[in-house]
Amino acid sequence: MTSRHRLSLAAVLAGMLALAACSGGSSDTAAPTSAAPTASSTATSAEAGTATVASAFGDVEIPAAPKRVVALEGAVGPLLAAGITPVATADGDWEDAFLPAEFDQVKDLPVVLGPDGWDYEAIAAAKPDLLIGFVRAGTVDEISPEAVAEHARLSGIAPTVLILADGSASTKDATLKIAEIVGSGTQATEAKAAYDAKAAQIRETYAGALAAHTFAAVDHYEGIVTVYTPISWLGGILTDVGASIDPVAADATGTNGVDLSTEELTRLSPDSVILTEQALDGTPGIGAEELDAVPTYTTLPAVAAGHAYGVQYFFADRYETGLKVLDQLETILAGL
């Protein structure tokens, strides 16, 4: 298991991704503007070879045809789809986040995000002409002082475009906006249309199974169980197909997950279908592997009844991988 995966389960889930942790700006730091990133806000200067794009931190002038791009969070897929191989990535060592052909293109690139944050020296050493990705916060005004400071340092290296994601479920739309900026917007828009159509088909075809069950996307890390909420990655996809989240997490709208002790796992509804992370090779993800050793998990009614399922792309952050999740949910619902 990669260090990046450990980061996503520990530091990120514990802090960066919680919307509550991003509330309130800093009076001592220049506040970002409220400009909303849209495809129509991109303006290109043919003479200068630049384009002006809107970001969470205001308009940014970027190269019209960037050559050396560092893929911050959420940018690898859109860049590769646009025919741009990044020179470094935030998470290119995490195989289970990418489609197989994508991982082959980035697996040997420098990784510039670790447990302690951005490796600014490595980013500068890559000599980028563009940094692009997303930033998480409830609203532009709620971007944390830490994220504002990070943006300032990144912008000192190269033009930096960060698109706002107001919850992990919305990272799919943030990556679509990244795709529009780097030149793969058509493919991303088509993936969104296919995703929306598939979600609607599942809602209609499996209405009975969806009404009969609630769903609990569950993870485990260092003795803490996380039940994911409607604004999380998988929680958002479940909501899109009309599924109800387990009551433990259904009403938590300010955070990606509700943390429980292993003893508190019995609070999950006996009607809940359990979903855990599965690696692309079919083995349990690290959180699922740890759950299998927890007695209160293995005796849950859903687990005992065989209604616990591994899901690949458990942390899907774009419509392309979200479609892969929908295919798996359809198979699960068909068997209930």
Side-chain angles (χ1 to χ4, degrees):
M1 189 55 56
T2 67
S3 61
R4 169 63 184 159
H5 191 182
R6 284 289 187 181
L7 174 65
S8 82
L9 291 174
V12 176
L13 293 180
M16 285 177 61
L17 301 186
L19 296 184
C22 294
S23 62
S26 169
S27 60
D28 299 324
T29 307
T33 73
S34 58
T38 63
S40 62
S41 66
T42 302
T44 304
S45 168
E47 293 181 1
T50 62
T52 300
V53 300
S55 80
F57 292 85
D59 288 348
V60 182
E61 187 174 282
I62 68 172
K67 304 297 184 185
R68 299 185 60 81
V69 185
V70 171
L72 306 179
E73 291 187 276
V76 168
L79 285 166
L80 293 179
I84 302 170
T85 300
V87 293
T89 74
D91 50 8
D93 60 340
W94 187 19
E95 181 176 5
D96 295 326
F98 303 109
L99 302 173
E102 294 172 343
F103 183 65
D104 288 342
Q105 296 179 71
V106 299
K107 62 184 179 181
D108 296 322
L109 297 177
V111 175
V112 294
L113 178 62
D116 296 324
W118 296 109
D119 186 338
Y120 296 102
E121 291 184 1
I123 293 173
K127 299 180 179 179
D129 55 11
L130 174 64
L131 313 177
I132 189 165
F134 54 66
V135 60
R136 301 178 179 91
T139 66
V140 167
D141 292 335
E142 292 174 339
I143 295 175
S144 70
E146 293 79 10
V148 172
E150 288 174 352
H151 175 264
R153 290 194 65 178
L154 293 170
S155 296
I157 298 171
T160 299
V161 177
L162 294 178
I163 302 301
L164 183 70
D166 60 350
S168 292
S170 76
T171 56
K172 297 190 295 298
D173 290 315
T175 55
L176 188 153
K177 291 177 181 177
I178 292 169
E180 291 172 342
I181 290 169
V182 302
S184 55
T186 298
Q187 298 97 308
T189 300
E190 289 173 351
K192 182 184 186 315
Y195 174 96
D196 290 342
K198 183 72 173 181
Q201 177 251 309
I202 290 173
R203 281 197 306 272
E204 180 178 353
T205 304
Y206 301 100
L210 290 165
H213 298 276
T214 51
F215 293 78
V218 182
D219 207 353
H220 182 278
Y221 186 76
E222 293 186 345
I224 299 297
V225 175
T226 300
V227 184
Y228 289 101
T229 70
I231 71 162
S232 69
W233 307 265
L234 188 51
I237 295 173
L238 287 166
T239 300
D240 288 343
V241 301
S244 297
I245 305 298
D246 186 281
V248 164
D251 296 327
T253 59
T255 182
N256 284 304
V258 172
D259 290 340
L260 306 175
S261 67
T262 53
E263 292 78 11
E264 291 175 316
L265 265 171
T266 55
R267 290 174 52 193
L268 292 177
S269 169
D271 295 324
S272 275
V273 174
I274 307 296
L275 305 174
T276 60
E277 184 190 4
Q278 184 181 84
L280 295 186
D281 63 5
T283 60
I286 189 169
E289 197 171 46
E290 293 181 5
L291 278 170
D292 285 338
V294 176
T296 49
Y297 172 76
T298 57
T299 57
L300 287 173
V303 178
H307 291 163
Y309 305 91
V311 175
Q312 296 173 352
Y313 299 110
F314 193 83
F315 300 104
D317 63 359
R318 55 196 164 112
Y319 286 105
E320 290 85 346
T321 50
L323 269 167
K324 301 291 187 183
V325 174
L326 291 181
D327 288 340
Q328 296 170 81
L329 290 179
E330 182 174 36
T331 299
I332 291 168
L333 289 164
L336 293 177

